[in-house]
Amino acid sequence: MSYTAPVKDMLFAIEHLARIDQVAQIPGFEDAGLDTAAAVLEECAKFNEGVVAPLNVEGDKNPSSFANGQVTTTPGFRQAFRQFAEGGWQGLQHPVDFGGQGLPKTIGAACGEMLNSANLSFALCPLLTDGAIEALLTAGSEQLKATYLEKLISGQWTGTMNLTEPGAGSDLALVRSRAEPQADGSYKIFGTKIFITYGEHDMAENIVHLVLARVAGAPEGVKGISLFVVPKFLVNPDGSLGMRNDAHCVSIEHKLGIKASPTAVLQFGDHGGAVGYLVGEENRGLEYMFIMMNAARYAVGMQGIAVAERAYQHAVQYARERVQSRPVDGSLPGAGPIIHHPDVRRMLMTMRALAEGCRAMATVAAAAYDAAHHHPDAQVAKDNAAFYEFMVPLVKGYSTEMSLEVTSLGVQVHGGMGFIEETGAAQYYRDARILTIYEGTTAIQANDLVGRKTARDGGQLARAIAAQVEQTEGELNASATADARAVARRLAAARQAFLDAVDFIAANAKSDPNAAFAGSVPYLMLAGNLVAGWQMGRALLVAQELSSKGQDVGFMQAKIATARFYAEHILVKAPCQRDAIVEGAASVTALALEAF
Amino acid sequence: MSYTAPVKDMLFAIEHLARIDQVAQIPGFEDAGLDTAAAVLEECAKFNEGVVAPLNVEGDKNPSSFANGQVTTTPGFRQAFRQFAEGGWQGLQHPVDFGGQGLPKTIGAACGEMLNSANLSFALCPLLTDGAIEALLTAGSEQLKATYLEKLISGQWTGTMNLTEPGAGSDLALVRSRAEPQADGSYKIFGTKIFITYGEHDMAENIVHLVLARVAGAPEGVKGISLFVVPKFLVNPDGSLGMRNDAHCVSIEHKLGIKASPTAVLQFGDHGGAVGYLVGEENRGLEYMFIMMNAARYAVGMQGIAVAERAYQHAVQYARERVQSRPVDGSLPGAGPIIHHPDVRRMLMTMRALAEGCRAMATVAAAAYDAAHHHPDAQVAKDNAAFYEFMVPLVKGYSTEMSLEVTSLGVQVHGGMGFIEETGAAQYYRDARILTIYEGTTAIQANDLVGRKTARDGGQLARAIAAQVEQTEGELNASATADARAVARRLAAARQAFLDAVDFIAANAKSDPNAAFAGSVPYLMLAGNLVAGWQMGRALLVAQELSSKGQDVGFMQAKIATARFYAEHILVKAPCQRDAIVEGAASVTALALEAF
């Protein structure tokens, strides 16, 4: 099944919702206006549609394999990754100083979506490399930067994140890997890491592992964790590759999905100790790791949107072709394509509205990231940083949870054929299932949203966002069309529901944490629903305006119809989500432990 | 992962909700009281826990395979099926006259759940055989009955349903297989059938295919379809096996789940014509097929409940063992089992409440089936038949849709381990995905619910069911405990939501079918939610009563807590489901076809 990048919808979000014109006023982004965005997206679409997407099914049928410490990736991956690197795609958002293209996230995020729609498994390698680059940029010494950054940014080498251990998943306090300081300033690393994405592969010359470990004598818990660079091959002073380091893949996992992406068990130090180099300062590893994590969390949210878009396209194509039964309204003389059946339309609209809503949310969040990191006005930067921080758990949590629903609907649209692997719909269903888990489960995202992002400031930022939603409601009501009013009505109810939940959480997070956290995931889902619905409301206003001017009327009318569907079928759930959070907390933990 | 049949919960539903004492007053069921139920369930649990459940993972790792026209099932399946047959389990609900045990469905349904929890793939063979038996009992000639029924009921032979063709899935009007009358009264059958569950296998001596085909000259559409018995081996007058019939398996499918169950493509008549025997009269095939279908639809609903129960048990065990992070309420000094985390509790409670709620609904429906088919009072039988007919799409549609949610939560509880196939949680997620599709997709169930079960009588029966719910609300309010009142409150809101949806559907089904059918699946989900929640409300009343008498207090308190959770986290969604149906119909079909 071919993939066509939704360039028009991406540019709509970039131009009208994320306001690329404002991003392009930030020093350093002067050339990153709408024209640049359009040019980059077109080129990116061509590459991903032509080179990466055709490898998606092959990766599922012929996954990465392991033998004798080596991982062989799916045929074609190696060559495609070369093209990816040569095209400069790894460096898209990274600094020009190290060979990157220095583009804003507002543009980069859309490219990330395309790569992931084309091939989730393939895209994971650059995704993890981005995280390693971020960590080194933020906390690496000049020497580490000089040694590793250009090679990572050019795609010559790749990066990994080594957090998880058999006993330490969500709870990094339980990390047991250890680091012994050496006389030359390096460390010897010992331990076992599991679930290491692209921890071993044959697509690049070297792999730069970023590894969490404890220096001997460090405090217990998360305050005693340090971050190390542990390259697969040591690097000589002239930049050439030296000795093989004592970091070895001992197996890869047999997974439900994203099978082409090798998930490695890595053994550090079984032969005397792996050479590692401290990133930043000792015992601040978790802080640095969160830099990588935050970038990766946003990117995984994009994966959710990406797989939703791909599943949607696949389902639409099938629904246009498959002939079965006469439409209930008698609009065809006999059996017709199933896209004529109302329930198939409902499923396709749900898939479409969720993908567009989450894309809009994520694109707006990307612009906030750009302003947070680069805006010259400190207050503007700070406000945007706060907004972006609030958005990260929503982009990650909500977009991935909705991708489970979308990919499941994608199977359902196909009927019995959806259950047959050769159809391809099932692959998205399997692939998507990891997205609500890795880089922090939805519950971890929700804890972050409840604790750090909502309760800590007593719900202040959450209420400020709600006030912005209210402003959009006002604009919708002022425009006075039936569509705008219908959306405004659902938006108002959802905003009120959100505010009630915010009040409940702010009031209970400390005094009755079980009650607040019992509703943490429902609160995340409510917040994500509201913000995506809000962006669809903003989109509707723009689409009405442009449509009335005769600009791209078909596209604009579709946006209006999709926004209204979002409001009436997805946003409409918000008051009930509120009731469960605010009035149902006690029943979550009422059952005695022994009664389960 | 071992399986423990929830015998206590099943007997609770059988005794207190389905009222087995009333079933046992029906002539023919005099011996089928609670003691019999308890004895049968204990025996059934032992068999399924010990023999069938251990083959579940093996079936996934080592599925049925095809070579040279033969299907080899998973090692162990053949022997287990022998034990199943010898234990008399195939004949549980079938007439004593043909060697069955003649037990009511009220008991048989629980046994069906156990078999399916133990092994969905294995259970499909008896499930389809049950359908073939039903069709022959209802419409088969004395000779067909004499030839086939005892062998099917004893499990010596198995049965299949042959409906689907490459161009005819949900739309049976498109069936192209044809039947040519022969001089001896038999027919020659020609055509291709796909998706035939256990269409070929090595577990029994003969396979009795029930095949839809058109007799030459029959009317177009569904009114020209006839039903035929086409045995794999012809049967000699003395009952011994004769010649191999011209019905051959040409391949089996590569599926997302239920891999041990062979899904065959069958070719009829490639070597001169397959010998077939007409069931009942010509051109009434669809009617007979619906008899099989209705039995199978209920049974597939049970599969949803069964896989939900198994996934729940798996997740609970993991959540008790996996240690990660300190509970937010500080109730443990350090990291503890994840079952202490509120969001894990929320997920487990959701899984549990959905499984229990759907089990209660299905058990009550089974008792209605028994009364419908066997009650001596014609009016009582008729009322129960109407109620049962209303329940079939709910048991099938709602229980299977919820099984997708439950098995997905099961993966989520396991975190990263859930994505690793060896853990086993992913198998339930993959296996369950067919349940909302086969034997009629959820949309097909919903069309049935909207068209035949709701609109046809103007919503009369639906409102009568709502009146029964209202009575339960009254009893809950009268009992006046906080739990009962909380449930009554959500039940009242859900009932009102349901009534609004019924009014909307009754008003629009003919005049604006697109509007009515745009909400068909949401209406099914709302109705299922209400009925399951209602049964949980009834369960709460019984549990309060028995608990106050000191009877099995732990179990009764757990039932109360689960009922309240159901009300506050699942039933609570009903008003929003209503809004989407009643106020969101137009936006489902607003997007122009070419804009998808």
Side-chain angles (χ1 to χ4, degrees):
Chain A
M1 174 65 58
S2 65
Y3 162 66
T4 306
V7 173
K8 198 178 262 193
D9 195 57
M10 289 169 165
L11 288 174
F12 178 90
I14 287 172
E15 181 179 2
H16 301 293
L17 305 179
R19 299 295 306 273
I20 187 86
D21 57 333
Q22 293 180 3
V23 174
Q25 284 170 16
I26 298 172
F29 291 148
E30 292 88 350
D31 296 333
L34 184 60
D35 291 349
T36 301
V40 170
L41 263 58
E42 280 304 337
E43 201 55 42
C44 189
K46 208 158 70 181
F47 173 71
N48 285 301
E49 290 168 5
V51 176
V52 185
L55 294 170
N56 192 47
V57 168
E58 182 61 25
D60 194 54
K61 285 197 301 197
N62 194 357
S64 284
S65 60
F66 175 81
N68 307 318
Q70 310 282 336
V71 168
T72 306
T73 54
T74 300
F77 268 42
R78 193 185 155 88
Q79 296 82 339
F81 189 71
R82 276 305 101 218
Q83 286 181 259
F84 175 82
E86 284 158 14
W89 297 110
Q90 183 76 60
L92 211 62
Q93 291 176 61
H94 298 302
V96 178
D97 294 354
F98 295 100
Q101 306 206 27
L103 286 172
K105 194 180 188 84
T106 308
I107 296 175
C111 296
E113 184 193 321
M114 290 186 203
L115 185 67
N116 278 292
S117 280
N119 198 322
L120 276 189
S121 286
F122 181 87
L124 277 164
C125 190
L127 191 160
L128 272 300
T129 302
D130 278 340
I133 293 167
E134 289 288 342
L136 288 174
L137 278 170
T138 315
S141 65
E142 288 312 310
Q143 199 187 336
L144 284 179
K145 287 183 186 172
T147 308
Y148 294 100
L149 276 176
E150 273 194 39
K151 297 279 176 46
L152 287 168
I153 286 172
S154 70
Q156 201 172 337
W157 299 349
T158 69
T160 70
M161 288 169 65
N162 286 244
L163 289 72
T164 307
E165 299 179 5
S170 299
D171 187 359
L172 293 172
L174 303 175
V175 161
R176 293 267 160 275
S177 291
R178 60 199 170 81
E180 294 180 359
Q182 305 297 302
D184 66 353
S186 72
Y187 291 74
K188 284 204 166 171
I189 310 289
F190 302 88
T192 302
K193 293 287 181 178
I194 63 169
F195 295 165
I196 308 309
T197 300
Y198 280 94
E200 178 59 39
H201 64 83
D202 57 4
M203 281 157 49
E205 295 164 10
N206 202 5
I207 303 173
V208 182
H209 303 297
L210 281 149
V211 182
L212 287 186
R214 291 179 187 285
V215 178
E220 285 289 299
V222 294
K223 287 178 182 161
I225 296 173
S226 304
L227 181 64
F228 299 89
V229 164
V230 184
K232 177 179 172 185
F233 288 99
L234 299 181
V235 182
N236 295 322
D238 66 355
S240 65
L241 294 184
M243 267 177 45
R244 181 74 166 80
N245 204 353
D246 186 9
H248 295 279
C249 176
V250 294
S251 64
I252 64 172
E253 305 292 350
H254 171 221
K255 307 192 299 293
L256 173 61
I258 54 164
K259 295 186 181 188
S261 151
T263 304
V265 177
L266 293 183
Q267 201 67 38
F268 293 90
D270 271 8
H271 309 283
V275 178
Y277 309 100
L278 184 67
V279 177
E281 296 170 25
E282 281 187 8
N283 301 332
R284 291 180 62 185
L286 203 74
E287 184 186 318
Y288 308 142
M289 192 52 91
F290 263 106
I291 295 162
M292 296 171 66
M293 281 280 253
N294 245 354
R297 285 176 175 184
Y298 180 93
V300 172
M302 266 297 168
Q303 292 196 300
I305 298 163
V307 72
E309 173 67 33
R310 186 87 190 257
Y312 167 72
Q313 292 189 15
H314 204 129
V316 167
Q317 187 163 328
Y318 186 81
R320 285 194 197 288
E321 289 167 4
R322 172 71 171 173
V323 172
Q324 205 77 179
S325 298
R326 191 174 180 211
V328 284
D329 63 2
S331 55
L332 294 176
I338 61 172
I339 199 168
H340 287 272
H341 301 315
D343 191 63
V344 172
R345 292 282 267 279
R346 184 189 61 81
M347 291 193 280
L348 294 176
M349 285 303 294
T350 304
M351 298 171 79
R352 176 188 180 97
L354 284 168
E356 287 191 16
C358 289
R359 178 181 298 124
M361 171 169 71
T363 309
V364 167
Y369 175 93
D370 290 326
H373 284 75
H374 302 286
H375 203 285
D377 182 322
Q379 189 59 45
V380 173
K382 201 181 151 199
D383 290 348
N384 276 282
F387 180 80
Y388 180 73
E389 287 298 315
F390 196 90
M391 287 299 120
V392 169
L394 306 190
V395 170
K396 203 289 183 181
Y398 183 68
S399 305
T400 60
E401 288 287 342
M402 75 85 199
S403 80
L404 302 187
E405 182 178 345
V406 171
T407 55
S408 182
L409 287 171
V411 172
Q412 189 73 16
V413 168
H414 286 79
M417 289 306 295
F419 202 64
I420 307 299
E421 285 287 4
E422 284 75 4
T423 306
Q427 186 186 345
Y428 311 131
Y429 182 68
R430 289 186 288 99
D431 284 356
R433 194 63 195 80
I434 190 59
L435 303 180
T436 60
I437 296 172
Y438 63 18
E439 304 301 342
T441 63
T442 307
I444 298 284
Q445 308 302 321
N447 284 354
D448 177 47
L449 184 69
V450 164
R452 276 181 290 272
K453 313 288 169 69
T454 303
R456 185 180 284 175
D457 73 356
Q460 215 176 314
L461 174 60
R463 286 189 204 100
I465 292 170
Q468 289 186 266
V469 175
E470 194 173 5
Q471 198 181 319
T472 301
E473 287 162 33
E475 293 168 32
L476 286 162
N477 281 321
S479 104
T481 64
D483 290 318
R485 281 172 176 278
V487 172
R489 177 180 166 212
R490 298 300 172 190
L491 214 42
R495 174 177 49 81
Q496 192 52 57
F498 172 72
L499 286 170
D500 288 356
V502 168
D503 289 347
F504 178 81
I505 279 164
N508 287 286
K510 279 205 174 145
S511 58
D512 187 356
N514 279 343
F517 286 92
S520 61
V521 168
Y523 170 59
L524 180 150
M525 296 302 289
L526 168 55
N529 194 355
L530 175 67
V531 173
W534 167 36
Q535 296 308 324
M536 291 303 280
R538 291 183 62 213
L540 181 142
L541 285 166
V542 173
Q544 283 190 163
E545 163 94 18
L546 296 178
S547 178
S548 73
K549 291 181 184 162
Q551 197 175 316
D552 212 348
V553 175
F555 175 84
M556 298 305 162
Q557 289 299 320
K559 181 60 82 180
I560 293 166
T562 307
R564 183 160 180 176
F565 181 91
Y566 191 102
E568 295 188 333
H569 293 268
I570 302 166
L571 202 50
V572 72
K573 296 176 186 174
C576 295
Q577 293 176 308
R578 173 234 172 253
D579 288 352
I581 298 163
V582 174
E583 296 169 12
S587 59
V588 171
T589 48
L591 191 78
L593 268 185
E594 63 277 12
F596 276 93
Chain B
M1 175 64 59
S2 65
Y3 162 66
T4 306
V7 173
K8 198 178 263 193
D9 195 56
M10 289 169 165
L11 288 173
F12 177 90
I14 288 171
E15 181 179 2
H16 301 294
L17 306 178
R19 298 292 308 270
I20 187 85
D21 57 333
Q22 294 180 2
V23 174
Q25 284 170 15
I26 298 172
F29 290 149
E30 292 88 348
D31 296 334
L34 185 61
D35 291 349
T36 301
V40 171
L41 264 58
E42 281 303 337
E43 201 55 41
C44 189
K46 207 158 70 182
F47 172 71
N48 285 301
E49 292 168 4
V51 176
V52 185
L55 293 170
N56 192 46
V57 167
E58 182 61 24
D60 194 55
K61 284 197 301 195
N62 194 357
S64 284
S65 60
F66 175 81
N68 308 318
Q70 310 282 336
V71 169
T72 306
T73 53
T74 300
F77 268 43
R78 194 183 153 87
Q79 296 81 339
F81 189 72
R82 278 302 101 218
Q83 286 181 260
F84 176 82
E86 284 158 15
W89 296 110
Q90 184 76 60
L92 211 62
Q93 292 175 60
H94 299 302
V96 177
D97 294 355
F98 294 99
Q101 306 206 27
L103 286 172
K105 194 181 188 82
T106 309
I107 296 174
C111 296
E113 184 193 320
M114 289 187 204
L115 185 66
N116 278 292
S117 280
N119 197 323
L120 277 189
S121 286
F122 181 88
L124 277 164
C125 190
L127 190 160
L128 273 301
T129 302
D130 278 339
I133 293 167
E134 289 289 340
L136 288 174
L137 278 170
T138 315
S141 64
E142 288 313 309
Q143 198 185 340
L144 284 179
K145 286 183 186 171
T147 308
Y148 294 100
L149 276 176
E150 273 193 42
K151 296 280 177 46
L152 287 168
I153 286 172
S154 70
Q156 201 173 337
W157 300 349
T158 68
T160 71
M161 288 169 65
N162 286 245
L163 290 73
T164 307
E165 299 179 5
S170 299
D171 187 359
L172 292 173
L174 303 175
V175 161
R176 294 267 158 275
S177 291
R178 60 199 171 80
E180 294 179 359
Q182 305 297 303
D184 66 353
S186 72
Y187 292 74
K188 284 203 166 174
I189 311 288
F190 302 88
T192 303
K193 293 287 181 179
I194 64 169
F195 295 163
I196 309 309
T197 301
Y198 280 95
E200 178 59 39
H201 64 82
D202 57 3
M203 281 157 48
E205 294 165 11
N206 202 4
I207 302 174
V208 182
H209 303 297
L210 281 150
V211 182
L212 287 187
R214 291 179 186 286
V215 178
E220 284 290 299
V222 294
K223 287 179 182 160
I225 296 174
S226 304
L227 182 64
F228 299 89
V229 164
V230 184
K232 176 179 172 184
F233 288 99
L234 299 181
V235 181
N236 296 322
D238 67 354
S240 65
L241 295 184
M243 268 178 42
R244 182 72 166 81
N245 204 353
D246 186 10
H248 295 278
C249 176
V250 295
S251 65
I252 62 172
E253 305 292 350
H254 171 221
K255 308 192 299 294
L256 173 61
I258 54 162
K259 296 186 181 187
S261 151
T263 303
V265 177
L266 292 184
Q267 202 67 38
F268 293 91
D270 270 10
H271 309 283
V275 178
Y277 309 100
L278 184 67
V279 177
E281 296 171 25
E282 280 187 9
N283 300 333
R284 291 181 63 186
L286 203 74
E287 184 186 317
Y288 308 143
M289 192 52 92
F290 263 107
I291 295 162
M292 298 172 66
M293 281 281 252
N294 246 353
R297 284 175 175 184
Y298 180 93
V300 172
M302 266 297 167
Q303 292 196 299
I305 298 163
V307 72
E309 173 66 32
R310 185 89 190 254
Y312 167 72
Q313 292 189 15
H314 204 129
V316 166
Q317 188 162 329
Y318 186 80
R320 284 193 196 288
E321 289 167 4
R322 171 71 169 173
V323 172
Q324 205 77 178
S325 299
R326 191 174 178 208
V328 284
D329 64 1
S331 55
L332 293 177
I338 61 171
I339 199 167
H340 287 272
H341 300 316
D343 190 63
V344 172
R345 291 282 267 278
R346 183 189 62 80
M347 292 192 280
L348 294 176
M349 285 303 295
T350 304
M351 298 171 79
R352 176 188 180 99
L354 284 168
E356 287 190 16
C358 290
R359 178 180 299 124
M361 170 169 72
T363 309
V364 167
Y369 174 94
D370 289 326
H373 285 74
H374 302 285
H375 203 284
D377 182 321
Q379 190 59 44
V380 173
K382 200 179 152 203
D383 291 348
N384 276 282
F387 180 80
Y388 180 73
E389 288 297 317
F390 196 90
M391 287 298 121
V392 169
L394 306 191
V395 170
K396 203 289 183 180
Y398 184 67
S399 305
T400 60
E401 288 287 342
M402 75 84 200
S403 80
L404 302 187
E405 183 179 345
V406 171
T407 54
S408 182
L409 287 172
V411 172
Q412 191 72 17
V413 168
H414 286 80
M417 290 305 296
F419 201 64
I420 305 300
E421 285 287 5
E422 284 75 4
T423 306
Q427 185 186 345
Y428 310 132
Y429 182 68
R430 288 187 287 98
D431 284 355
R433 195 63 197 79
I434 190 60
L435 303 180
T436 60
I437 296 172
Y438 64 19
E439 303 302 340
T441 62
T442 307
I444 298 284
Q445 308 303 321
N447 285 354
D448 178 48
L449 183 69
V450 164
R452 276 182 290 272
K453 314 288 170 69
T454 303
R456 186 180 283 174
D457 74 355
Q460 216 176 313
L461 176 59
R463 286 188 204 99
I465 292 169
Q468 288 185 265
V469 175
E470 194 172 6
Q471 199 179 320
T472 301
E473 288 162 33
E475 292 167 32
L476 286 162
N477 280 322
S479 105
T481 63
D483 290 318
R485 281 173 176 277
V487 172
R489 177 181 167 210
R490 298 299 172 191
L491 214 42
R495 173 176 50 81
Q496 192 52 57
F498 173 72
L499 285 170
D500 288 355
V502 168
D503 290 346
F504 178 81
I505 279 165
N508 287 287
K510 278 204 174 144
S511 58
D512 188 356
N514 280 343
F517 286 92
S520 61
V521 168
Y523 170 59
L524 180 149
M525 296 302 289
L526 168 55
N529 194 355
L530 175 67
V531 173
W534 167 36
Q535 296 308 324
M536 290 303 280
R538 291 184 61 213
L540 181 141
L541 285 165
V542 173
Q544 283 189 162
E545 164 94 17
L546 296 179
S547 178
S548 73
K549 292 181 184 162
Q551 197 175 314
D552 212 348
V553 175
F555 176 85
M556 299 304 162
Q557 288 300 320
K559 181 60 81 181
I560 293 166
T562 307
R564 182 159 181 177
F565 181 91
Y566 191 102
E568 295 189 333
H569 292 268
I570 303 166
L571 201 50
V572 72
K573 296 176 186 175
C576 295
Q577 293 175 308
R578 173 232 173 254
D579 288 353
I581 298 163
V582 174
E583 296 169 12
S587 60
V588 171
T589 48
L591 191 78
L593 267 185
E594 63 275 12
F596 276 94

